[in-house]
Amino acid sequence: MNRFCYFLLFCFVLNSARAEFPIASSGKSGCVIVSQADATQTEINAAVELAKTLEQITGAKFETQKGGEKIPESSIVVGPGKFAAQFFPEIDFSKLGDEEIVMRVKGGKLLLAGGRPRGTIYAVNRFLQEQCGVRWWMPWATNIPQQASLKIPDLDVRYKPPFEYRGPYWFPAFEPTWKVHNQANNENSVIPPEMGGSIKYKGFCHTFYPLVPPEKHFAEHPEWFSLINGKRVGEKAQLCLTNPKLRDFMVERVKDWLRECPDCQIISVTQNDHAGWCECETCKAIDDAEGSHAGTMLTFANYIAEKIEKEFPKVAVDTFAYQYTRTPPKTVKPRPNVIVRLCSIECNFREPLDAPVNAAFAADIKRWSEICPRLYVWDYTTEFQHYVHPHPNWFTLGPNVRFFQQHKVKGLFEQGAYAGHGSEMAEMRGWVLAQLMWNPQQDDRKLIREFLEGYYGNEAAKPIYKYLELLYAASKDFYLACYIRKDPAPYLDFKTLNQAEALWREAEAAAEKDADAEKVLRVRIAHLPIRYVFLKEWKTLRNACQEQKLKWPLNESRKEVAGEFKKVCDGVPGKDWTQVRVLNEQSLPVEKFLANFADDASAK
């Protein structure tokens, strides 16, 4: 090798060494964690979280420093401020978006910072996940790898999430600390300000009657309510959205609500959860001209938004494109301070939303995205009549989130089972959706596998993933609504359920072999949906088993199977996540469901 080649090799090695940032070596820290003198409480807490988690990973104690005149040569700089500007002058921190993050290695310094209020704490948590392998699967299930020596390669990341609002609305995903770790920022289970806070709504949905209660106002002002078949209606209807006095009354009501919640960024002015739109001459003329009932809805929202803008310049008025208002109007466009939330409730969730079967929705979102600068989506990821029921939409979650990003959606609410623990694959959906909302371009099937392996164990994950593929294949050509249209669903035939039961038994056996009691519990809870269908459709499935001359995979006694189901649902005292109490959106108790199977006579 000639001298020039040696020189190039030396430069390569030198540059490679410079590119690495030493976190710890053999259980001893290699850096100091520095927060800025003017750091917010969120940024201070981010530095504390970083030090604590790095200690858990490496076993090293990490010194923390707040402010000062100078910092050590090897430092992790947390948050924007004096030191960030000094060592990273190429970054204009004043122009970072509210949740934009920066992770950069340069000159012996590692920068973890972001826009306020949440950017820095997100930068720290993304760093711990992406560079250190930490996974916050669920509030009760965290993976922190053990690594006494830790070096970080060259980093130069600047990233702004595509969705300003991210809501994986599954019960296990409500806990505020989990939300911060996984970058969910929706309004439910509010994140405290010292952890970065969250987007806050005043009201959330179906607010017409809460804002204008008919029991208070209908007698005196029937003209404020829908005219239906020539008669004013104050029950299971809507409002007369063109009535001038109602409009001005609504403006004052909205202002009153916002004065009650001065830190709210969005107020919901949304239709009730049924039909009953107004058919008066003025409302009908607008809707007919616009080709949609969104005509009156949007002109009403625009009026409210214009009138409150002076007093509440940072507040947006949120309204729906839902069921009868889903189709965009021909000419009316939302004001800049109006959010339209487009709802996908009619769709087939077994297929991606850009599939031919969902063409009408795809056409609507395309048009809304052209006229609405702040388009939000309310999407549906569960089956409301049977939370504990196989709902094979797993492999459409990723394509749909990317579809929303493609159409410039700014906020995404993924409604799941929200009444309690134990719903079908709830934990997986909550975590996977949170990851996709932060970065839709990730491989969603890879994320699913990663969750299964981390949450259930490497060996148990294999049959569980096969189960997902089995049910997805079996449901081909079935219209998978968020309310079952055909019960029992034809994809849940005996042949499929028999195979599914075998896969879950294999998963349980694998978890038991791992001798991890918590993972055994997790697999047994995830197994409940198959047992739920067996219990619910016992007679039909028994007959099919006999006709096909196959072996029945469960106990011959439905009463005994129900008892096993209850035992799993009862869970472990002190571990709420193991306790399954309700089975659908109407809060059907487990006990009431199982009461049908108290003896075996009804099973014959």
Side-chain angles (χ1 to χ4, degrees):
M1 184 180 293
N2 62 37
R3 291 181 180 180
F4 182 68
C5 290
Y6 276 117
F7 175 74
L8 290 178
L9 179 61
F10 172 77
C11 290
F12 174 78
V13 171
L14 180 63
N15 288 334
S16 298
R18 284 176 177 170
E20 288 186 333
F21 182 84
I23 299 287
S25 178
S26 300
K28 293 183 179 181
S29 64
C31 58
V32 172
I33 297 172
V34 179
S35 59
Q36 312 285 345
D38 62 346
T40 65
Q41 189 59 54
T42 301
E43 290 160 357
I44 293 170
N45 289 344
V48 171
E49 171 92 1
L50 179 64
K52 180 187 73 173
T53 309
L54 289 177
E55 179 179 346
Q56 291 175 301
I57 294 170
T58 66
K61 293 284 186 181
F62 287 85
E63 181 186 343
T64 59
Q65 174 183 325
K66 186 174 186 294
E69 290 303 313
K70 62 180 183 177
I71 62 176
E73 183 176 343
S74 183
S75 298
I76 302 178
V77 179
V78 178
K82 171 185 172 181
F83 298 124
Q86 177 183 342
F87 294 103
F88 301 88
E90 68 277 10
I91 301 173
D92 186 346
F93 291 93
S94 67
K95 292 185 178 179
L96 290 178
D98 291 352
E99 297 182 332
E100 190 171 2
I101 66 170
V102 177
M103 298 186 286
R104 185 168 296 181
V105 171
K106 177 187 170 188
K109 306 292 185 293
L110 166 60
L111 174 68
L112 300 175
R116 289 173 174 167
R118 288 177 287 277
T120 294
I121 202 165
Y122 285 170
V124 165
N125 288 331
R126 293 308 302 183
F127 170 79
L128 290 170
Q129 176 169 321
E130 295 170 9
Q131 302 302 320
C132 303
V134 177
R135 296 291 184 272
W136 295 278
W137 304 120
M138 282 288 114
W140 56 87
T142 298
N143 177 65
I144 298 181
Q146 305 300 298
Q147 191 173 345
S149 296
L150 178 63
K151 290 183 178 181
I152 301 304
D154 184 26
L155 271 183
D156 188 4
V157 174
R158 181 168 176 173
Y159 181 77
K160 183 178 181 179
F163 304 115
E164 65 186 26
Y165 171 98
R166 299 177 297 279
Y169 197 68
W170 282 84
F171 189 82
F174 285 179
E175 200 275 324
T177 302
W178 183 92
K179 290 170 67 175
V180 175
H181 283 152
N182 291 284
Q183 295 79 57
N185 65 1
N186 52 314
E187 72 301 319
N188 75 295
S189 301
V190 174
I191 299 167
E194 62 270 20
M195 294 171 64
S198 51
I199 292 175
K200 291 188 71 173
Y201 268 80
K202 180 61 178 177
F204 186 67
C205 62
H206 309 310
T207 59
F208 273 5
Y209 280 1
L211 283 162
V212 190
E215 63 272 18
K216 288 186 177 181
H217 302 288
F218 185 79
E220 186 176 354
H221 295 289
E223 72 279 6
W224 288 3
F225 298 85
S226 293
L227 182 72
I228 302 174
N229 295 325
K231 182 181 178 181
R232 294 288 175 178
V233 178
E235 293 182 1
K236 292 188 177 181
Q238 307 290 343
L239 301 174
C240 180
L241 300 179
T242 58
N243 184 283
K245 290 186 177 180
L246 169 71
R247 285 186 166 198
D248 291 336
F249 178 80
M250 182 67 87
V251 168
E252 294 309 311
R253 284 288 287 147
V254 165
K255 288 181 177 180
D256 288 343
W257 271 24
L258 288 173
R259 289 167 190 146
E260 294 170 3
C261 185
D263 58 342
C264 282
Q265 299 118 303
I266 304 173
I267 184 162
S268 171
V269 180
T270 46
Q271 69 206 59
N272 298 323
D273 197 13
H274 36 69
W277 55 86
C278 184
E279 299 170 349
C280 78
E281 184 176 345
T282 310
C283 286
K284 189 175 185 303
I286 293 174
D287 288 342
D288 286 350
E290 294 295 332
S292 170
H293 295 294
T296 48
M297 189 66 67
L298 199 49
T299 54
F300 183 74
N302 281 345
Y303 184 85
I304 306 300
E306 182 180 9
K307 293 296 183 180
I308 70 166
E309 189 172 30
K310 185 176 180 180
E311 184 176 350
F312 303 99
K314 296 182 179 180
V315 173
V317 173
D318 169 277
T319 197
F320 278 162
Y322 173 57
Q323 295 184 330
Y324 71 90
T325 59
R326 198 187 84 180
T327 303
K330 291 179 181 177
T331 64
V332 180
K333 296 181 180 180
R335 298 184 85 252
N337 63 334
V338 169
I339 292 170
V340 173
R341 254 191 299 176
L342 174 63
C343 305
S344 63
I345 196 167
E346 299 90 353
C347 292
N348 177 355
F349 299 104
R350 196 278 180 191
E351 306 299 331
L353 291 172
D354 60 354
V357 71
N358 294 316
F361 180 82
D364 285 346
I365 197 172
K366 182 178 184 297
R367 175 59 181 153
W368 277 116
S369 69
E370 292 169 351
I371 67 172
C372 184
R374 286 186 74 182
L375 178 62
Y376 280 24
V377 163
W378 183 315
D379 192 29
Y380 301 81
T381 60
T382 191
E383 205 284 293
F384 293 105
Q385 289 172 286
H386 305 284
Y387 280 164
V388 185
H389 187 282
H391 189 67
N393 67 339
W394 316 292
F395 300 136
T396 62
L397 299 178
N400 287 348
V401 175
R402 288 187 285 276
F403 175 76
F404 299 138
Q405 181 189 23
Q406 176 189 346
H407 287 87
K408 301 176 183 178
V409 169
K410 299 299 183 186
L412 185 51
F413 179 74
E414 294 284 5
Q415 186 177 14
Y418 56 87
H421 289 294
S423 297
E424 189 257 352
M425 301 307 290
E427 298 84 2
M428 183 192 78
R429 286 196 186 89
W431 186 83
V432 169
L433 283 168
Q435 303 309 308
L436 289 168
M437 288 186 206
W438 178 257
N439 179 4
Q441 297 309 312
Q442 297 178 86
D443 183 333
D444 47 290
R445 291 206 181 210
K446 183 178 178 181
L447 288 172
I448 289 171
R449 288 192 186 94
E450 182 183 355
F451 181 86
L452 297 181
E453 291 169 1
Y455 190 71
Y456 299 109
N458 289 338
E459 292 305 310
K462 295 174 184 177
I464 296 175
Y465 192 80
K466 289 180 182 178
Y467 160 78
L468 299 182
E469 292 184 311
L470 171 70
L471 268 291
Y472 186 68
S475 61
K476 189 176 185 296
D477 299 326
F478 179 71
Y479 201 104
L480 190 71
C482 56
Y483 291 91
I484 283 183
R485 298 183 178 187
K486 187 174 184 181
D487 196 5
Y491 62 89
L492 296 173
D493 59 356
F494 177 73
K495 180 181 177 182
T496 302
L497 289 169
N498 194 28
Q499 294 177 61
E501 174 65 21
L503 289 169
W504 278 110
R505 290 192 177 203
E506 184 182 341
E508 283 197 37
E512 289 168 356
K513 188 176 180 180
D514 279 349
D516 186 326
E518 294 227 337
K519 286 179 179 174
V520 172
L521 287 172
R522 295 171 197 170
V523 173
R524 287 177 179 167
I525 293 168
H527 186 172
L528 286 175
I530 292 300
R531 295 291 179 89
Y532 177 83
V533 180
F534 268 110
L535 287 168
K536 188 165 67 75
E537 307 298 337
W538 189 274
K539 292 180 183 179
T540 301
L541 295 170
R542 288 286 282 173
N543 290 337
C545 178
Q546 291 172 3
E547 290 171 4
Q548 296 171 36
K549 298 181 180 179
L550 296 173
K551 183 180 179 181
W552 182 247
L554 306 180
N555 192 304
E556 297 286 335
S557 165
R558 184 164 66 167
K559 179 181 177 182
E560 292 297 322
V561 175
E564 293 170 8
F565 189 95
K566 183 178 186 304
K567 184 177 180 180
V568 175
C569 290
D570 286 344
V572 176
K575 294 184 177 182
D576 287 350
W577 63 270
T578 69
Q579 297 165 6
V580 183
R581 297 186 175 93
V582 297
L583 298 175
N584 65 13
E585 190 179 30
Q586 292 73 41
S587 297
L588 172 68
V590 170
E591 292 75 12
K592 187 173 181 180
F593 169 69
L594 295 179
N596 297 316
F597 321 126
D599 59 64
D600 286 319
S602 61
K604 297 176 181 177

